[in-house]
Amino acid sequence: MEETGKASTHGHVARHHDRGLVAIGVLKLLEAIFFFLVGLGVIHFLHRDLGDAARQLAERLSFDPDRRVVAYVLDHLDDITAHRLKQIGALTFFYAGLRIAEGVGLVMEKVWAEHLTVGATTIFLPWELYEIVRHPDWVRVCLLVANLIVLAYLLWALRRNRRMRVI
């Protein structure tokens, strides 16, 4: 994004930040922290019994282990192998890295970061829609709406900046 500004009384150019881009960038950095911590959690459980860890967590949180949700989770945790955990960890760290690149670039108001974020947001939309159709809930719908708002803002900012460069 091009820097815009007006000359101040001291001859300096006052910089005007795009608060929307900076806010989206900070959000992406917070997402990066979350996914990095998830990746660390995955590594922590690499050579442990996931079912046993989930049972202990359910007991600490006072969940009844005979309840359907807990039983479902426990049954499916046994299917996760160490190799699968490594794959999940690698993808989680990759995703955190992508979010760091997006966040830092947007906070620095770089056009490449706007394009990267548009691409990364767009590529996940079909998966988000599929998940909403498969398991509709308010959390998924709210995440989709938030991503569509971010996408619309970035497309608007890119178009606005392209017009400013042409003028």
Side-chain angles (χ1 to χ4, degrees), residues 7 18 41 51-52 70 78 86 92-93 95 125 145 153:
D18 185 327
D52 188 45
V70 175
D78 291 336
K86 287 177 188 174
T92 303
F93 283 124
Y95 195 68
L125 289 178
V145 169
Y153 183 84

Side-chain angles (χ1 to χ4, degrees), residues 18-76:
D18 185 327
R19 290 185 180 147
L21 288 181
V22 173
I24 294 168
V26 169
L27 175 67
K28 297 296 180 182
L29 291 170
L30 290 173
E31 286 181 46
I33 291 168
F34 171 76
F35 285 105
F36 179 77
L37 293 174
V38 169
L40 289 178
V42 169
I43 288 173
H44 174 77
F45 286 108
L46 252 179
H47 299 292
R48 298 175 194 250
D49 182 353
L50 290 177
D52 188 45
R55 271 189 227 56
Q56 289 176 6
L57 179 62
E59 288 171 9
R60 282 190 197 144
L61 297 176
S62 300
F63 286 137
D64 180 8
D66 294 328
R67 292 185 71 183
R68 229 188 294 179
V69 173
V70 175
Y72 176 83
V73 169
L74 291 174
D75 288 344
H76 286 81

Side-chain angles (χ1 to χ4, degrees), residues 10-163:
H10 302 291
H12 298 97
V13 174
R15 185 173 180 172
H16 297 280
H17 291 284
D18 185 327
R19 290 185 180 147
L21 288 181
V22 173
I24 294 168
V26 169
L27 175 67
K28 297 296 180 182
L29 291 170
L30 290 173
E31 286 181 46
I33 291 168
F34 171 76
F35 285 105
F36 179 77
L37 293 174
V38 169
L40 289 178
V42 169
I43 288 173
H44 174 77
F45 286 108
L46 252 179
H47 299 292
R48 298 175 194 250
D49 182 353
L50 290 177
D52 188 45
R55 271 189 227 56
Q56 289 176 6
L57 179 62
E59 288 171 9
R60 282 190 197 144
L61 297 176
S62 300
F63 286 137
D64 180 8
D66 294 328
R67 292 185 71 183
R68 229 188 294 179
V69 173
V70 175
Y72 176 83
V73 169
L74 291 174
D75 288 344
H76 286 81
L77 283 177
D78 291 336
D79 297 335
I80 300 176
T81 64
H83 177 70
R84 185 69 175 148
L85 271 180
K86 287 177 188 174
Q87 290 174 328
I88 292 168
L91 287 172
T92 303
F93 283 124
F94 172 80
Y95 195 68
L98 175 64
R99 291 302 192 220
I100 289 169
E102 289 174 308
V104 169
L106 290 172
V107 167
M108 294 174 64
E109 301 180 62
K110 301 295 184 182
V111 175
W112 62 261
E114 294 174 47
H115 287 283
L116 176 63
T117 306
V118 165
T121 302
T122 302
I123 205 164
F124 288 110
L125 289 178
W127 180 73
E128 289 183 50
L129 289 169
Y130 171 75
E131 285 297 315
I132 288 172
V133 169
R134 208 168 134 227
H135 301 289
D137 65 33
W138 286 106
V139 173
R140 286 181 174 94
V141 171
C142 289
L143 288 173
L144 175 65
V145 169
N147 282 331
L148 290 173
I149 290 169
V150 166
L151 183 61
Y153 183 84
L154 290 170
L155 291 171
W156 172 81
L158 282 167
R159 189 171 179 190
R160 176 194 64 198
N161 293 335
R162 184 175 34 192
R163 273 195 239 128

